[in-house]
Amino acid sequence: MRALITSVLLSFAIAVSVNAKELTFGEPVNAKETMKISKLLASPQDYLDKKVTVAGTIVGVCQKRGCWMNLASDARFEKLRIKVRDGDMVFPMSAKGRHALATGYLKEIKLSLEQTQRYKAALAKRAGENFDLASVTSGMSIYQVSPIGVKILD
């Protein structure tokens, strides 16, 4: 019985240490020039297509291909998507809840009125809220970082 308990505890310790391993993707991350996500999103036009480094807790990961992850901002209820082409980097689902740094280029995605309505309707549905399509009267832009390097910390 004692050997069984020891074996189970050892297996658990190994699994925890494997999941806590630091992961790196692509080029080295420029951690010295990390900026707050709230600052980036407050004036995104100032940073479009410029190299930026952001940090945050991973609050979402693409469940199908691991092609994106969302980082929580320092501002409440704000997040920033880190998106790669499928297969360039694969972010593991186990990274959710861990801290990450990403260096890359800020990109703008302009949505038409119809795309904005569908986007906001999907967000409301996910949140379980009512949504009136007529409340959206113009298109919007969303921003994401196209990374060249990502580091997921322990």
Side-chain angles (χ1 to χ4, degrees), residues 15-110:
V16 169
S17 68
V18 167
N19 286 335
K21 182 179 169 189
E22 184 175 291
L23 302 171
T24 57
F25 303 90
E27 297 178 14
V29 172
N30 185 359
K32 291 181 180 173
E33 297 189 18
T34 301
M35 67 183 310
K36 292 184 176 185
I37 292 173
S38 62
K39 180 180 178 184
L40 182 72
L41 294 178
S43 55
Q45 296 297 323
D46 294 344
Y47 302 100
L48 278 180
D49 297 319
K50 293 181 181 171
K51 192 187 288 188
V52 296
T53 298
V54 293
T57 300
I58 301 169
V59 294
V61 177
C62 172
Q63 295 180 13
K64 293 182 180 174
R65 298 182 181 198
C67 61
W68 58 260
M69 63 180 179
N70 286 329
L71 297 183
S73 170
D74 51 295
R76 204 167 176 195
F77 304 119
E78 189 176 66
K79 60 187 175 185
L80 178 65
R81 181 162 288 191
I82 309 299
K83 172 73 174 97
V84 297
R85 283 187 317 178
D86 290 352
D88 283 355
M89 298 176 191
V90 179
F91 306 121
M93 286 294 298
S94 62
K96 195 171 176 182
R98 293 168 65 180
H99 195 75
L101 298 161
T103 297
Y105 295 91
L106 185 66
K107 300 293 181 184
E108 178 181 29
I109 299 171
K110 293 182 180 180

